Structure formats: C-alpha cells, structure tokens
Amino acid sequence: MTTASSPRVGLVRLATALSITFATAALAQVVVVPPGPQIGSSNPITAELRVPRPHTHPCVVPLFENLAFADFTPKVFDYTPPSACPGRWAKVVFTSDFTVTAGRQFDRTAAFYLGHANIYYGTTAEPRAALSPSWHVERDVTDLTAIFKSAQTGEANIGNFVGVSGGVTYDGIIYANAALEFYPAGDDDRAAVPDIVVPVNGAGGDAGTLNTTSDQITQALNLPTNVERVYLDVISQSQSADEFWYFCVPNDQASNLVSCGNTAFRETEVSIDGQPAGVAPVYPWIYTGGIDPYLWEPVPGVQTLDFKPYRVDLTPFAGLLSDGNSHTVAVSVFNANGYFLATANLLVFEDHGSRRVTGGVLRNTLSAAPSPTVTEDITLGADSTYTGTVTVGSKRRFEISGYVNTSHGRVETTVNETVDFLSKQEFDVNSATDIQNAQQSSTVDSRVTTHGGPDAGVVEKNFSYPLTIDYSFIVNSDGSFYQTVTSDQQDLVREMRTTGDGPALVSNERNEVNATDTLNWDASGNFLGPAGSKTTQTYRLQNARGYCFDRRLTAEAQKLTSVTDGPGCDD
C-alpha cells in the first residue's frame, strides 16, 4: 500500500492514504441501526429489498449481542433451537446489526458460521473521524434448516486490528448483534428444504485460503444411499493481491502498467473426486475501502455488506454420491494470485420413499480448467509511456447429465451451461499519469432439464455481472495530484421455470450502483478531500407471485439525497 504523500497511488486501496486524516473518537459500545433510509444520512444504506416474511409471529433466537471485534480471534457462541417453535419452519431469516466506532479502521471481512456452515458472509464499512457507521443485513437461510434443529456452537469471525502499525493507530472497533428468526409452518406452508447440510471449508473449519490455481478447499463426503438432489452454495472472495483482480493484467505487463498479475480473469471451479462438476463466476465485489473510500458513502457497492452465494447444481452426480462410498468435493479458483478465501455449503435432498437410490453420471463435457485467450496491444512511447489495450476472454459450453432410480421412478437431470467472460482494459501510464479504463462482463446462461419425478420441467437462469471502471490518477505540473474514479457495477439475475403449464417467471432482479468521485492532494502530499462525489443505486425485483419492489437512491457529497420508490414493473 502507498501513502497519501506518494506521487503515484495506482490501483490500490486508499484507506491507508486517507487514514492520516482520520481522528480518534470515543468508543460507542452499543449497536445503533438507522430505522430506514434517512435523507442527509451518511450511514451505509442500500436499496435492496429485505427478506420477505410470512404473516406469522416468529420465534427469535439471539446468537450474540454487542460482541466486540478488536483482534483476529474468532468469537464462539452457543445456539439452542427455539423450544416455542419446534419442528419444521416456513422460513428462517438471519439478521445482524453492525457498528464501527468512529476513528481509523480498514474494511474487514465478516463471516459467521454455525456448526461450521456459513450463515453470513460480507465485509464491513470503514469509519471516519466524524462517522461511526451502523448498518443492518439479513439473509434467507431456510435452506440451512438442517443445522438449526440441534444445539451446537457457532463462530463469528471478523478479524480486526486495533493498535499501532507502521506508526499509524487503528482504533475502530466493530460491534455486532446477530439473531435467527423462525417462522412457524402449518401443514401447507412448510418449506421444502435440504435434509443435510455439509460445510465445505478450510482446515480451520471456516473459509479456506486459495493462493494459486492448484489450491483447493475440500470436504470428504459420506452421504446416505438415498441422495436425490445436490447443490453447492459457494462464495469465493478476492483478498490482498487479488482484491482488484478485475484490474489485473498479464504478468509480463504488471510492472509496466503498475498492476497485479495473472490477467483480469478469475473463475471458481468445483470438482467431485477430481472430476470437473461445476463452475461459479467470481463476483467483482468492491469493498468500502476500495479504490476511493468516499465513493461508497453512504451507498456501498453491490453486495459489499452482504455477499450472495452462487448455487452450483450438482444433481447429475446424485447417483454417484448415493453409492455408499466416500467421495470428495473440492473448490478452487482459476488464476488465484495471492489470495482468495472460499467457503461453501453442500445441500443434499434425500428420497424419503426409499432407503437406497441407484444411478450415475451419463455425460460430462466440462473441461478441467478454462482456456482464456489474452490479447496484448501495449506500446512503449516517449517518457516511458505505456498505452494500449489488454483483452482477456473465456468461453465455456458444457453439459452434465445424470440419473437416479427413485421411489417415484427414474429421474434424469441435465445441466447445460454457457459461461462467458470478457474484459477489456485501456491504459495510458507514465510517471505522471495512470489512466486505466476497464470494462468487464461475466455471464452464465444455465438450463437445467429434469425428466421424471415431481420436479419435471426446465429451469433457466441467467446471471450477468457487468462492471465498468474509469480510473485516472494525474500529477499536475505544480506537483499537486488528483484521482478521479467512475464506477458502474451491476448484478442481474433472471430465472424462468417451464412445466406442463408452460413457462413462468420465477424472479427477475436488477441491482446497479453508479458512483463517481475525485480526490485531491496539494504539492506537499497533503490530502485536500473529495470533490464531486455522486452515487446512484437502482434496485428492482419482480417474482412469480406478481410482486414488484422498485427503489432508487441518490447521494451527493457523502449524504443521502433522495429515496424514490417506483410505480411497478410494467416494463
């Protein structure tokens, strides 16, 4: 990392650079969460819809309250199922509230586990001298019902350094509450949930470290002999040298372009017994300390405070996993370059009408690794100026098909996926200029066809993660310098289901954050502050029940300026 007095900052987190302007404030040891979008607020706020709940009164089980995170030791907590709401539930919702004391601190990774199964993953907001950010997150964890049925211990992990490092004092302490809401179910509204949840983590029982393409987190599986459907919910989080992987370049250009290596392409690979089994795109998260901390006040980037796991359908392998033998599921990240953290939950559905299911894999055309194409067009000009473009793309088409003989007949599942990735970066780099404009698109078109059984039909999903970042760092002739960044980040997900009654929309979600800001320093390297900061977030969700949620937030100069709810989803 570089400091604010550096003549060239480059594409690094500016939290260190800006932290010299942050002053110490008194510690507040109570989590305080704003009741909703407050005009003029600088607290983190997003436009996303909160988890819809049934119209019943929940049993609430606190996991921990006002837990302080001021070191790198995970905090252990105890969990006991709700005695007042026994049995199966219509829905289970995880909620958590956070506060960071005003002062100086980096954003931190927050990960909570129960019985080593991940129930929440995200990052925290950075404070400032006059800002103690508070925020709320929640997640539908109904699919993890199996782990909530028995008493067990959990782990809250927010590694956070408080003290002096490199002559700089970091004093922001993170406090958090967490709870589970259990909504009782009647006979007709019990959720169809996995029977077994198997955590897939590192050696410590939490997220595992992946430094290279060959590194893996693995889990031995000894599943029942009546497995019918299988899914893997996976999160692969970029860290350290990989934090800005979407800005990385080929290794031979990393020094010339002042960037990280291994190109701007990363992809999560899933295997079973060493056999390729699935692919998950890596979402380009930008944390609140990323590139320019003022970009993300008060509206953080897409998913920044609450990551969404990506679900990989492993049902074609259900017959194999039911054979009574031990198997191994593994997760890796192609092009990992120091480093990623990865955690996953394997979700297993059993055939309740049979003790033994037979079957196997019929077809698998997924290759062991992608084969990205890289095109470099960089020219060295006068004054050691490097200009031009770097493009990296990956196209994967595969089909995996398998079958199981169940109590309701033979069920055959075929997963067809098209996974496309394209990144194009433009550069103008010399001793006084660092201009890097990046356009990236990661898409997955998935079609899962099921023949036989109660779930016969076709499910089509489209995931798209467009990202555009224009970055300029300029040193003026008088020695002063400035940085201007504009970012447009999106998360687009659409799901359709076709049965004998024809196609029907399951859900259509669009989440977009557009932010711009300029940072200024004088010729002595003194930070002068941000200028021209503006942010817009647009979120829209439409589901199969005809419900539509449409909200738009705008912010300027690190303050929320408007909250607008749309009239509906007619388009």
Side-chain angles (χ1 to χ4, degrees):
M1 296 192 182
T2 53
T3 66
S5 59
S6 301
R8 293 188 65 226
V9 176
L11 292 172
V12 298
R13 291 157 46 109
L14 286 181
T16 300
L18 299 176
S19 64
I20 62 172
T21 68
F22 294 170
T24 304
L27 300 184
Q29 299 186 11
V30 178
V31 174
V32 180
V33 179
Q38 303 294 304
I39 301 301
S41 173
S42 57
N43 264 309
I45 185 66
T46 64
E48 288 94 330
L49 173 70
R50 294 190 175 185
V51 177
R53 271 85 158 170
H55 296 296
T56 55
H57 185 73
C59 293
V60 179
V61 178
L63 300 179
F64 51 83
E65 295 183 354
N66 287 323
L67 197 57
F69 297 88
D71 54 34
F72 286 85
T73 301
K75 316 304 178 187
V76 177
F77 60 89
D78 294 321
Y79 163 78
T80 301
S83 58
C85 299
R88 298 174 66 179
W89 304 287
K91 181 166 286 190
V92 185
V93 179
F94 165 86
T95 68
S96 188
D97 300 312
F98 298 82
T99 285
V100 185
T101 59
R104 180 189 294 115
Q105 194 53 264
F106 289 126
D107 52 66
R108 302 296 185 179
T109 295
F112 302 158
Y113 302 86
L114 189 59
H116 297 299
N118 181 258
I119 58 175
Y120 165 74
Y121 206 106
T123 60
T124 66
E126 289 193 354
R128 287 192 281 113
L131 175 63
S132 173
S134 298
W135 67 98
H136 174 87
V137 300
E138 53 188 48
R139 175 181 294 182
D140 185 342
V141 292
T142 311
D143 279 345
L144 302 181
T145 289
I147 69 171
F148 302 137
K149 293 183 176 181
S150 59
Q152 54 191 302
T153 59
E155 181 180 281
N157 193 343
I158 307 179
N160 185 37
F161 175 76
V162 175
V164 179
S165 177
V168 178
T169 298
Y170 298 91
D171 51 11
I173 297 178
I174 302 169
Y175 292 87
N177 297 338
L180 291 168
E181 300 175 0
F182 294 88
Y183 291 83
D187 292 336
D188 297 330
D189 58 356
R190 291 182 177 180
V193 296
D195 299 283
I196 302 171
V197 176
V198 182
V200 181
N201 286 312
D206 53 7
T209 302
L210 306 175
N211 288 303
T212 69
T213 296
S214 60
D215 291 344
Q216 296 180 328
I217 61 170
T218 63
Q219 177 61 50
L221 304 176
N222 293 281
L223 299 178
T225 56
N226 63 340
V227 175
E228 185 171 8
R229 288 184 288 141
V230 191
Y231 305 91
L232 186 73
D233 283 358
V234 61
I235 291 173
S236 296
Q237 181 201 13
S238 53
Q239 290 271 13
S240 190
D242 266 326
E243 178 173 344
F244 302 104
W245 60 270
Y246 37 83
F247 273 135
C248 293
V249 298
N251 293 335
D252 64 305
Q253 294 290 352
S255 176
N256 299 335
L257 301 176
V258 196
S259 193
C260 43
N262 272 19
T263 79
F265 173 61
R266 305 289 186 271
E267 183 178 83
T268 303
E269 316 297 335
V270 179
S271 65
I272 295 177
D273 299 335
Q275 178 183 8
V279 171
V282 176
Y283 192 81
W285 293 293
I286 305 178
Y287 316 138
T288 58
I291 309 176
D292 171 358
Y294 292 96
L295 283 166
W296 318 117
E297 293 180 17
V299 181
V302 175
Q303 294 190 30
T304 296
L305 303 178
D306 186 7
F307 293 6
K308 291 197 306 185
Y310 183 90
R311 179 161 293 184
V312 179
D313 194 334
L314 299 178
T315 300
F317 297 90
L320 171 69
L321 298 175
S322 294
D323 64 6
N325 296 319
S326 178
H327 299 279
T328 300
V329 62
V331 175
S332 61
V333 173
F334 181 82
N335 270 352
N337 190 34
Y339 65 96
F340 271 74
L341 288 176
T343 182
N345 290 324
L346 189 78
L347 310 177
V348 180
F349 289 81
E350 296 179 80
D351 177 5
H352 296 151
S354 174
R355 291 185 177 181
R356 183 169 187 85
V357 165
T358 60
V361 178
L362 297 171
R363 177 177 170 83
N364 187 351
T365 66
L366 177 60
S367 60
S371 299
T373 58
V374 180
T375 303
E376 301 179 28
D377 186 14
I378 300 295
T379 301
L380 173 61
D383 300 324
S384 297
T385 297
Y386 292 88
T387 59
T389 62
V390 175
T391 302
V392 57
S394 174
K395 293 182 179 292
R396 309 188 78 179
R397 313 285 189 271
F398 63 88
E399 177 181 300
I400 306 176
S401 181
Y403 74 100
V404 283
N405 296 311
T406 73
S407 61
H408 37 263
R410 177 184 170 108
V411 178
E412 185 174 319
T413 302
T414 300
V415 176
N416 283 283
E417 284 195 358
T418 299
V419 184
D420 285 347
F421 177 91
L422 181 62
S423 169
K424 182 176 181 180
Q425 300 185 73
E426 300 175 346
F427 296 91
D428 185 353
V429 177
N430 59 37
S431 59
T433 301
D434 188 348
I435 297 176
Q436 181 174 349
N437 300 327
Q439 291 185 335
Q440 175 181 298
S441 176
S442 181
T443 63
V444 178
D445 293 310
S446 172
R447 181 183 176 91
V448 178
T449 304
T450 303
H451 293 289
D455 297 312
V458 177
V459 175
E460 296 179 276
K461 294 183 180 180
N462 173 263
F463 300 85
S464 182
Y465 305 148
L467 174 67
T468 300
I469 299 179
D470 294 337
Y471 174 94
S472 298
F473 186 86
I474 307 296
V475 178
N476 298 314
S477 58
D478 64 357
S480 62
F481 48 100
Y482 67 92
Q483 173 188 283
T484 299
V485 178
T486 297
S487 170
D488 187 81
Q489 184 184 30
Q490 299 181 54
D491 180 11
L492 312 175
V493 182
R494 181 179 176 86
E495 181 176 351
M496 298 284 294
R497 178 173 177 81
T498 302
T499 61
D501 297 327
L505 175 72
V506 176
S507 64
N508 189 14
E509 182 178 8
R510 179 186 181 92
N511 192 355
E512 180 175 8
V513 174
N514 184 282
T516 186
D517 185 46
T518 296
L519 302 177
N520 294 282
W521 290 261
D522 65 19
S524 298
N526 298 310
F527 180 58
L528 304 178
S533 175
K534 293 182 179 180
T535 310
T536 300
Q537 182 182 24
T538 303
Y539 179 83
R540 174 176 288 187
L541 174 66
Q542 185 177 8
N543 64 24
R545 298 179 179 178
Y547 177 77
C548 178
F549 179 83
D550 186 0
R551 174 165 287 180
R552 178 183 174 89
L553 304 179
T554 63
E556 190 169 348
Q558 292 77 54
K559 300 289 185 181
L560 188 67
T561 55
S562 71
V563 179
T564 305
D565 289 330
C569 295
D570 296 334
D571 57 350

